[in-house]
Amino acid sequence: FSVAGDLRLEASRHPVVEQTVDRPFVPNSLNLKAGECLLLTGPNMAGKSTLMRQVAVISLLAQVGSYVPAQFCQLPVFTNIFTRVGASDYLSEGLSTFMVEMQEAAEMLKSATDNSLVILDEVGRGTSTYDGMSLAQAILEFLVTECGCITLFATHYHELTQLAQTHSRIHNAHMAIREQKGEIQFLHTLANGPANKSYGIQVARLAGLPSSVTRRAQQVLS
């Protein structure tokens, strides 16, 4: 352990998810130096959220002295772990999903330091495309330049991947898939570089939307 040090995991796994899936869990490795951000893109169901959560769980397990599900683990001492994953609301209090998301993001930005681990999954949803994308970029830039914390940031705003060209601490990565004749297979493997698209229509087809709907969506997209 080291304060504000590097994070390195080899063949890491999610200790809960691997007990519930009906196939061998695919381990992943990652290496982030102090203050760096892993910017994750790629389709839903590819494993982005699982990867980010397993980093948080492993960090917590290690700091309480537990065994961790990884072949090798090097971690800094995190004073806190901040996560924003999934969607929730407090309608009885007049708070929409987006308002709750922004409140939680605000608390993170006020409290995170260079000894924090921050996990953000799809921040900026629930408003217009350009409002959400602009907020996501501003939040990401603040975490990297002002907080200096280790950050895992998943997004469908592929425009954000360009930030790696101007911010040396941001590194693009994606969850690999295999595509053949318009069909996709999730490999659940972390790969370097940005994803080339989100494959939303293919995922919608897998979910069972009527073929007329997915064909029309493809026409609109084109």
Side-chain angles (χ1 to χ4, degrees):
F1 287 107
S2 59
V3 176
D6 301 344
L7 183 153
R8 180 183 166 200
L9 298 174
E10 293 183 4
S12 65
R13 312 182 311 279
H14 194 298
V16 178
V17 174
E18 72 172 348
Q19 303 298 320
T20 60
V21 294
D22 56 2
R23 58 189 180 278
F25 189 91
V26 179
N28 275 293
S29 302
L30 67 155
N31 191 348
L32 289 173
K33 297 186 182 300
E36 290 187 337
C37 169
L38 191 69
L39 180 58
L40 279 169
T41 49
N44 291 318
M45 296 173 56
K48 299 190 302 295
S49 296
T50 298
L51 175 69
M52 295 195 300
R53 293 181 193 208
Q54 75 191 43
V55 172
V57 171
I58 287 172
S59 299
L60 181 60
L61 289 174
Q63 287 190 201
V64 300
S66 171
Y67 291 106
V68 300
Q71 288 185 0
F72 177 86
C73 174
Q74 176 186 340
L75 293 167
V77 174
F78 292 119
T79 55
N80 36 44
I81 299 173
F82 296 103
T83 64
R84 170 62 196 179
V85 178
S88 60
D89 57 46
Y90 297 101
L91 295 180
S92 61
E93 299 176 23
L95 301 178
S96 67
T97 300
F98 182 68
M99 185 61 174
V100 172
E101 180 180 278
M102 290 297 101
Q103 286 183 335
E104 293 182 357
E107 185 62 32
M108 291 182 191
L109 300 188
K110 292 175 184 176
S111 305
T113 70
D114 59 356
N115 290 331
S116 301
L117 173 63
V118 173
I119 308 292
L120 277 169
D121 194 357
E122 305 294 352
V123 68
R125 296 173 298 185
T127 185
S128 72
T129 300
Y130 292 113
D131 279 3
M133 184 171 64
S134 300
L135 284 164
Q137 176 170 334
I139 289 169
L140 176 56
E141 289 175 337
F142 186 91
L143 288 168
V144 171
T145 60
E146 300 293 331
C147 300
C149 51
I150 289 180
T151 303
L152 279 78
F153 194 104
T155 186
H156 282 293
Y157 296 131
H158 287 264
E159 293 83 353
L160 300 189
T161 61
Q162 300 175 11
L163 292 175
Q165 301 175 15
T166 54
H167 292 76
S168 60
R169 290 183 173 181
I170 297 177
H171 303 286
N172 284 312
H174 66 281
M175 305 305 293
I177 68 166
R178 181 182 294 122
E179 183 177 14
Q180 290 182 331
K181 298 180 180 180
E183 300 298 325
I184 57 175
Q185 177 185 357
F186 302 109
L187 303 181
H188 305 292
T189 302
L190 185 67
N192 292 327
N196 56 5
K197 55 183 178 178
S198 288
Y199 298 96
I201 294 175
Q202 289 90 332
V203 172
R205 187 182 299 122
L206 288 174
L209 278 184
S211 58
S212 60
V213 173
T214 54
R215 284 198 303 269
R216 176 55 182 155
Q218 189 64 56
Q219 291 173 352
V220 175
L221 177 63
S222 300

